[in-house]
Amino acid sequence: MADVEQVQPRKGPSLAIQGAMLLVVTAAAIGMGWMSGGYLKGVDAPPPVPVAPENEGKVAQPAAAQQPGTGPTLVALAPITTNIASPADTWIRMEVSVVYDAPQPPAMAENIQQDLLAFVRTLKTHQIEGASGYQHLKADLDDRASIRSQGHVKQVLIRTLLLE
């Protein structure tokens, strides 16, 4: 017969070491959370601007408020009603508005509306299903409108979206 050594199962680290490691990991997680919170809070807040003593207590007007007719402009486009590419018997009605960086001629809004109409006609139902499909549609509309307006459109707002 062969000699068989009896191997005792190894014990893991003691309970005290496990508790100490848990405290170290917890402290590291709290520290990282505190540091990232401080970083994010610092990113959003602009640095304070020193105010001259003679202007102290006065409210500063932004440059856009001093010059009327400049600044962001919201323009509602004509509703887009058409059938989509697949399935061909599905119709879509979409009402959108665009946000310009400054006032633009009305012809630009018509060009953007026609370009968005042409784009919507190429859509398939599976492309706009769900939340991610909606986000992709909105991103595509933003890109097309920005390109059509040479960068004057800052955002496309989808007011209504109906598929029938």
Side-chain angles (χ1 to χ4, degrees), residues 3 6 25 42 48 52 87 129 149:
D3 289 335
Q6 291 184 352
V25 170
E129 287 179 345
S149 68

Side-chain angles (χ1 to χ4, degrees), residues 7-92:
V7 179
Q8 294 182 355
R10 271 192 76 142
K11 285 186 168 182
S14 70
L15 191 57
I17 292 176
Q18 288 180 359
M21 292 305 294
L22 178 66
L23 289 175
V24 167
V25 170
T26 302
I30 290 171
M32 288 174 53
W34 181 72
M35 293 295 288
S36 63
Y39 173 75
L40 291 175
K41 186 176 182 182
V43 168
D44 290 338
V49 178
V51 178
E54 62 271 4
N55 293 333
E56 197 168 311
K58 294 181 182 177
V59 178
Q61 294 290 328
Q66 293 172 355
Q67 301 172 358
T70 60
T73 305
L74 180 70
V75 176
L77 301 181
I80 296 170
T81 304
T82 185
N83 60 330
I84 61 176
S86 175
D89 61 341
T90 301
W91 284 76
I92 187 169

Side-chain angles (χ1 to χ4, degrees), residues 71-125:
T73 305
L74 180 70
V75 176
L77 301 181
I80 296 170
T81 304
T82 185
N83 60 330
I84 61 176
S86 175
D89 61 341
T90 301
W91 284 76
I92 187 169
R93 178 177 169 87
M94 186 167 59
E95 294 179 12
V96 297
S97 297
V98 292
V99 179
Y100 292 122
D101 56 356
Q104 299 297 321
M108 184 177 290
E110 293 173 11
N111 290 340
I112 293 170
Q113 193 266 346
Q114 290 298 316
D115 190 42
L116 296 182
L117 172 68
F119 171 71
V120 168
R121 291 187 59 111
T122 65
L123 291 175
K124 295 180 173 75
T125 304

Side-chain angles (χ1 to χ4, degrees), residues 133-151:
Y134 175 78
Q135 288 176 340
H136 290 299
L137 172 65
K138 184 161 177 7
D140 290 340
L141 294 176
D142 285 341
D143 291 343
R144 291 184 73 92
S146 180
I147 290 169
R148 179 62 67 181
S149 68
Q150 289 86 32

